[in-house]
Amino acid sequence: MMTQMLLLLLYGFVFLLATESCRTLCQASSKSKEQVSTRPHGECHGTCVDNSYCSQPCPPDTPGDMGFLCRQKKWHKVIESCRTLTAFNIFEADSNSVQTFGGSKINEYTNKPETITDLLMEKCPQNLSCVIRNIQKSPRIPGNIALIVQLLHNISTVPMKDVDETKMKSYSIMANHILNSKSISNWTFIPERNSSCVLLHSVNSFARKLFVNKHPIEIADIFIHTVGTILSRDNAGKNFTFSMRVNDTREVTGKVSISREELQEVPSPSRAVSIAFPTLGAILEASVLESITVNGLVLSVILPKELERISLIFEKISKSEDRRAQCAGWHSVESRWDHRVCQKIQENSQQVVCKCSPSKTFTSFSILMAPHVLQSPILIYITYIGLGASICSLILCLSIEALVWGQVTKTEISYLRHVCIANIATTLLMADVWFIVASFLSGPTRHHSACVAATFFVHFFYLSVFFWMLAKALLILYGILIVFHTLPKSVLVAALFAVGYGCPLLIASITVAATEPGKGYLRPEACWLNWDMTKALLAFVVPALAIVVVNLVTVTLVIVKTRRAAIGSSMFQEVRAIVRISKNIAILTPLLGLTWGFGIATVLNDSSLAFHIIFSLLNAFQGFFILVFGTILDPKIRDALKDRINSAQWISRISENVSSDFSRHPTKGPS
C-alpha cells in the first residue's frame, strides 16, 4: 500500500514537471512565432543607394527569398523564389506513401523537383492526375511557377512511347494554371529567366509523344488548346482553327492551314498536332526581357518532316494602324524569335497571313509587332514632294557648277570647296534616286537580290553624303587652324576622295558581308538595314551621328572666330558680324548635314508628329537647301553666271547682226 502511494506521488510529480515543461516550451514557441510573424518581409529598410541589392525572406512558412534592387532612390523587386508547393503538399491528401517521410526530408525533396516527378510516376502513371487538384489551388507566385515548370519539363523527359489523351489532358491542366493571364507579371521575378522557354519546349516535346488514333483529339483549356489528327493524302486540305481569350475581354483567332499540294508529300497516314497559346507570347516577352511584342497567338505545330511549308493566319491582338507585323518562328535552341523561317504573304488591320517552314528547331510561330513607326499621309506627301524637289534642285546645282567651274575654281581653296559641294550634291542625288528605287522594291513580296543591291547603294550613297560633309568640315578646320603650313593640292584632293568615298565603301561592304550570309542584312518588310536581328542599322546611325557632332563643333568654331573678330568694334561692325554669323550658320547647316540632328528628337519623342514633320521637311528638301545656300547665295557663282549670261547675250547679238547683215547682202562675203 505504501509502495503504491509512493508510485502515485512519483507519477504526479513527473506529470507536473511534464506539464510545466510543455507550458514553457509552448510559450517559447509562441514567442518565436510572434517574432517571425513580426519580422519584416517584402521590403528593404536599409539605405537605398542606386544599384545596391537587398535580400528579404518570404512570408512565414513560405520557403525562398526576395531580391530588391535600388533604382532612383526606391527599392524595386527583381527576383522572388517564394513557394508554397513542396513534395509533401503537391499530392492529394489521401496519399499515404508521401506522408511517411520525416520532417528532416522536406528540404531535400523541395529542392529536387525531379523527386516529385518520380513520386508522380509511381503514384498515378496512368493519368498524372494526383497533383492536379493541389496545383490548381496553389497561388501563382514565382516559386510555384518555377516548380511547376520544372515538373512539366521532367515529365516531358520521362521515357514514354505513347501519350494518350488522358495524360495529355492532365499535362495541359498543369500548364494552363501557370499560363493564366493573371500570372504574367510574376514570370518576371523568376530567377531562371529562361523558364518560359523551358515551358514552351517541354509542352512541344510532350505533345510529340501524343498518340492519335482514327478519331481526332481536342483538349481545350482556357490558356492552352491542343488538337491532334491524322493526315491523309486524300484530304482536300487540313485546317486547325483556334479562338482563345488573351485577357478578360478579348478573344483572338489563329489558324494552321495545310494545302492539298503539301499533303501529297506526306506519307499516309501521318500524325499532326497543333497547340495554341494566347498568353505565352506576353510571358516570353516578360521573362526573357525581349524588346519585341508578340501580337497574336503562339501556334505550335508537330508535323511530319516531309511538310516543308504551311500557312498560318493570325488575328492581331493590337490592331493599331501604324504598327506593321512581322512573321517569326521561335528558335528552340537559341531561345529567340527568328524572321528567316517565315514570309509575310498578306496583312491588313485585322490579321496577317504567314508562310512558314516548320522543323525540329522551329516548331512555334507567331507575329511580332514591329517597332513604332509614325505613319501619316502628311509625312508621306512631304517625303515624296521633297525628294522630287531635291532631285530637281541637285540636277540644277550640278549644272550650274559645271557651267561656272572654270571661273570659280581659280584658287586652291575655292577649288577644294567646290569639289566638296559638287560631290555632296552628286552623292545626295544618287542616294535619293536609290531611296525611291528601294521604296518600290519594299513590301511583303520582293526580289531578295534586288532589295539587297538597293539597300547597299542607299547605305553607301547616304554615308558618302555624310563623309563628304565631314570632308568639307575638315577643310574648314584646316583653313581655320592650320595657317602657316599648307599641303599640296593633290594630297588634299586625294584625302578628300579617300574620306568621301573610301570610308563609306568600307563600312557598307563590311556590313553586307557580315550580315547577309545569315539573312540578317535586310528588314523583314523594307529594303533597308535590319535592326531587330543583327543591328546592321548601327552601321549607318553611328557614323552619321558622329559626323553631325564633328560638324556641329566646326560650326561652333566658325561662330567663335567670327564673333571674336567683332569684339571691341563699333556697333555697326558688330551688327555686320551678327549678320555674317547668321549667314554662315544658314549656309553651313545644310552643307554639313546638321538638319539630321533633328532625328534625335524623333527618337526621344517618337509620338510627336511635329518633330517628324520638321525632320521630314528639312531632310527631304536638303537638295533644295544645298542649291540655295551652297550655290545661288555664293556671290562668286552669281558673278560668274552674270558673266556667262552677258557673254551669251553678246554672242547672241553678234550672231543676230551677222545673220541680218548676211540677209541684206547675200552675195557679199566677209572682208
Side-chain angles (χ1 to χ4, degrees):
M1 187 70 178
M2 196 68 177
T3 305
Q4 291 177 348
M5 289 180 67
L6 287 172
L7 286 172
L8 285 173
L9 288 171
L10 182 61
Y11 286 147
F13 180 70
V14 170
F15 178 75
L16 287 172
L17 283 175
T19 304
E20 187 64 26
S21 299
C22 182
R23 187 169 61 184
T24 304
L25 288 171
C26 289
Q27 287 176 353
S29 176
S30 63
K31 285 182 181 178
S32 176
K33 285 184 179 179
E34 186 177 339
Q35 289 175 356
V36 170
S37 62
T38 57
R39 184 178 59 181
H41 58 268
E43 57 180 302
C44 294
H45 295 289
T47 304
C48 184
V49 180
D50 280 352
N51 297 321
S52 59
Y53 183 82
C54 165
S55 180
Q56 288 290 303
C58 292
D61 303 324
T62 307
D65 53 27
M66 294 175 282
F68 296 83
L69 192 66
C70 181
R71 298 193 191 108
Q72 298 178 349
K73 307 300 180 182
K74 289 185 179 180
W75 291 108
H76 298 271
K77 185 167 67 173
V78 289
I79 60 169
E80 179 185 334
S81 59
C82 302
R83 61 188 179 274
T84 60
L85 289 175
T86 66
F88 295 92
N89 61 19
I90 195 171
F91 293 93
E92 293 183 7
D94 59 350
S95 171
N96 294 321
S97 59
V98 180
Q99 300 295 333
T100 58
F101 291 98
S104 61
K105 295 282 187 179
I106 288 180
N107 289 334
E108 177 185 345
Y109 281 90
T110 303
N111 293 329
K112 295 182 179 180
E114 65 270 20
T115 307
I116 300 177
T117 310
D118 296 338
L119 293 173
L120 176 63
M121 301 312 296
E122 289 176 10
K123 288 184 55 56
C124 49
Q126 300 301 320
N127 54 21
L128 309 178
S129 62
C130 53
V131 294
I132 289 176
R133 185 181 301 173
N134 289 341
I135 283 179
Q136 287 182 310
K137 291 191 298 183
S138 65
R140 300 180 186 90
I141 56 178
N144 286 349
I145 294 174
L147 187 141
I148 296 170
V149 168
Q150 188 64 52
L151 174 62
L152 292 172
H153 171 70
N154 291 339
I155 293 173
S156 69
T157 60
V158 172
M160 296 183 190
K161 289 184 179 179
D162 291 315
V163 173
D164 59 17
E165 185 175 356
T166 305
K167 288 181 183 176
M168 191 70 208
K169 189 169 184 179
S170 297
Y171 195 91
S172 296
I173 291 172
M174 288 185 267
N176 182 76
H177 180 71
I178 55 177
L179 286 168
N180 193 297
S181 58
K182 296 177 181 178
S183 69
I184 293 175
S185 60
N186 284 336
W187 284 83
T188 61
F189 302 122
I190 300 176
E192 296 79 15
R193 291 297 186 190
N194 66 336
S195 293
S196 55
C197 313
V198 172
L199 175 65
L200 177 59
H201 180 72
S202 302
V203 173
N204 291 339
S205 298
F206 195 73
R208 287 184 186 278
K209 304 174 184 178
L210 180 62
F211 176 74
V212 183
N213 208 339
K214 296 179 180 179
H215 302 289
I217 293 174
E218 183 168 4
I219 303 168
D221 288 298
I222 299 175
F223 301 104
I224 178 171
H225 187 173
T226 306
V227 176
T229 189
I230 296 295
L231 301 179
S232 174
R233 294 181 184 177
D234 300 330
N235 295 342
K238 207 69 179 177
N239 296 322
F240 303 94
T241 303
F242 303 94
S243 180
M244 304 190 71
R245 187 176 294 277
V246 293
N247 51 42
D248 295 335
T249 58
R250 287 289 313 282
E251 276 196 1
V252 294
T253 60
K255 187 176 182 180
V256 180
S257 180
I258 306 171
S259 66
R260 182 167 186 167
E261 291 75 17
E262 291 290 342
L263 284 175
Q264 298 304 312
E265 305 296 326
V266 176
S268 186
S270 295
R271 178 178 57 98
V273 178
S274 184
I275 312 166
F277 307 89
T279 57
L280 187 58
I283 290 171
L284 284 167
E285 177 190 351
S287 58
V288 185
L289 302 179
E290 289 278 353
S291 59
I292 49 83
T293 302
V294 178
N295 200 27
L297 298 177
V298 175
L299 296 178
S300 292
V301 287
I302 291 93
L303 301 169
K305 61 181 180 180
E306 291 80 8
L307 267 176
E308 296 182 353
R309 300 283 281 176
I310 59 171
S311 295
L312 299 165
I313 303 172
F314 298 95
E315 181 187 353
K316 294 180 179 180
I317 297 173
S318 174
K319 296 177 173 58
S320 176
E321 293 288 344
D322 60 348
R323 305 291 287 271
R324 302 182 68 183
Q326 301 170 347
C327 302
W330 181 258
H331 198 299
S332 60
V333 177
E334 299 179 3
S335 298
R336 62 174 177 83
W337 291 107
D338 196 321
H339 307 287
R340 292 173 291 182
V341 293
C342 289
Q343 180 185 5
K344 187 169 67 175
I345 304 301
Q346 186 181 355
E347 179 183 5
N348 56 41
S349 61
Q350 301 295 317
Q351 64 180 21
V352 182
V353 180
C354 304
K355 205 84 169 175
C356 298
S357 302
S359 64
K360 195 169 183 180
T361 303
F362 293 97
T363 306
S364 305
F365 305 91
S366 190
I367 53 172
L368 311 180
M369 187 181 291
H372 183 79
V373 178
L374 188 64
Q375 292 182 342
S376 169
I378 299 174
L379 295 177
I380 296 172
Y381 290 136
I382 288 173
T383 299
Y384 285 100
I385 292 172
L387 282 175
S390 182
I391 289 172
C392 294
S393 301
L394 292 168
I395 293 172
L396 182 57
C397 174
L398 291 172
S399 301
I400 293 173
E401 286 285 341
L403 193 64
V404 300
W405 185 264
Q407 293 174 266
V408 298
T409 57
K410 293 179 180 179
T411 64
E412 180 180 310
I413 191 67
S414 62
Y415 175 81
L416 295 173
R417 176 179 177 275
H418 283 278
V419 164
C420 290
I421 292 176
N423 280 281
I424 289 171
T426 301
T427 52
L428 183 57
L429 175 63
M430 297 303 298
D432 288 345
V433 171
W434 277 107
F435 178 84
I436 294 173
V437 172
S439 66
F440 281 109
L441 292 174
S442 298
T445 56
R446 60 182 178 179
H447 195 278
H448 183 78
S449 299
C451 197
V452 169
T455 302
F456 175 82
F457 284 116
V458 172
H459 185 203
F460 168 70
F461 282 114
Y462 271 121
L463 278 180
S464 295
V465 173
F466 278 99
F467 275 95
W468 271 108
M469 290 174 176
L470 174 64
K472 181 168 177 57
L474 294 176
L475 191 64
I476 293 171
L477 291 174
Y478 173 78
I480 293 174
L481 302 177
I482 302 176
V483 180
F484 300 106
H485 180 72
T486 58
L487 295 172
K489 180 180 175 181
S490 58
V491 173
L492 290 173
V493 171
L496 291 176
F497 275 85
V499 172
Y501 290 113
C503 295
L505 182 61
L506 185 65
I507 294 172
S509 300
I510 291 174
T511 303
V512 69
T515 57
E516 178 54 24
K519 301 299 179 186
Y521 184 59
L522 301 176
R523 292 192 175 190
E525 294 122 10
C527 293
W528 186 227
L529 300 173
N530 186 285
W531 172 255
D532 294 320
M533 278 177 52
T534 59
K535 301 292 186 291
L537 183 59
L538 290 175
F540 173 74
V541 173
V542 172
L545 289 181
I547 290 170
V548 168
V549 171
V550 173
N551 292 357
L552 186 61
V553 172
T554 303
V555 173
T556 305
L557 287 175
V558 171
I559 293 170
V560 170
K561 186 174 179 62
T562 308
R563 177 64 181 161
R564 188 178 296 166
I567 294 176
S569 303
S570 64
M571 180 65 71
F572 176 73
Q573 289 175 323
E574 288 192 7
V575 170
R576 287 186 62 185
I578 293 172
V579 172
R580 193 160 56 249
I581 290 171
S582 302
K583 186 178 178 181
N584 287 336
I585 293 173
I587 292 173
L588 293 177
T589 295
L591 289 178
L592 298 184
L594 301 186
T595 55
W596 286 78
F598 282 90
I600 300 173
T602 63
V603 173
L604 296 177
N605 190 5
D606 65 346
S607 61
S608 175
L609 183 61
F611 284 121
H612 285 268
I613 291 175
I614 294 171
F615 181 67
S616 298
L617 280 170
L618 291 175
N619 292 289
F621 287 91
Q622 189 170 11
F624 174 75
F625 295 143
I626 289 174
L627 171 66
V628 173
F629 295 106
T631 303
I632 295 176
L633 292 181
D634 188 333
K636 292 183 179 180
I637 291 180
R638 289 203 306 271
D639 292 341
L641 280 174
K642 287 177 183 178
D643 292 342
R644 292 301 297 263
I645 292 170
N646 292 334
S647 176
Q649 288 175 348
W650 183 73
I651 293 171
S652 177
R653 287 198 197 99
I654 292 177
S655 300
E656 289 175 1
N657 291 335
V658 170
S659 298
S660 61
D661 186 45
F662 183 77
S663 63
R664 286 197 301 268
H665 307 282
T667 58
K668 186 178 180 180
S671 57

